[in-house]
Amino acid sequence: GDAKLRLRGAGSGYNERDTHQESPEPLQLCISCPTHDGYEIARREAEALLLEVYREYDTWCADKGRPNRAPKIHYTEKHHAGDGRQRSNSGSRRRRNRSRGR
């Protein structure tokens, strides 16, 4: 229900609030949710979708004889409470870096 997903970083087209420009960081999917359970559902579903897209891309590359392969999923997780204190059982954010390493 209440999860928010944001595609951020280089190539995303998302302008950061502070700089009004794209972040130079690698492309990433940020997930935030006010509840831990909602966050876990969103994380699992986003991961399943990315892994399926990556499998299809790897198959396409193999069929075309291309050496490119989908990147690994890299997780960075930060848990935040609404009062600014960090907690591990409240709302969460996870970033998935999708750098190609080219």
Side-chain angles (χ1 to χ4, degrees):
D2 294 331
K4 294 180 183 177
L5 283 72
R6 293 172 193 84
L7 194 59
R8 301 171 79 172
S12 68
Y14 178 82
N15 290 330
E16 299 292 330
R17 184 179 7 191
D18 298 339
T19 63
H20 303 289
Q21 296 178 342
E22 264 185 12
S23 170
E25 294 181 44
L27 189 62
Q28 54 193 258
L29 176 63
C30 297
I31 300 171
S32 57
C33 189
T35 67
H36 184 72
D37 290 342
Y39 165 76
E40 283 299 324
I41 292 168
R43 183 199 58 78
R44 281 193 310 268
E45 293 298 319
E47 180 179 51
L49 180 59
L50 282 173
L51 289 173
E52 179 60 27
V53 169
Y54 288 177
R55 275 192 291 277
E56 290 177 14
Y57 180 73
D58 284 346
T59 299
W60 183 85
C61 286
D63 290 348
K64 303 291 183 191
R66 296 183 181 225
N68 297 340
R69 291 294 185 262
K72 301 267 187 251
I73 295 176
H74 171 77
Y75 301 99
T76 302
E77 226 172 334
K78 295 180 184 178
H79 301 277
H80 299 277
D83 60 5
R85 291 181 295 164
Q86 289 191 350
R87 289 189 215 158
S88 62
N89 61 353
S90 63
S92 306
R93 177 181 289 170
R94 174 168 286 191
R95 291 183 175 174
R96 295 163 184 266
N97 291 341
R98 295 178 36 179
S99 59
R100 302 281 314 155
R102 290 184 199 173

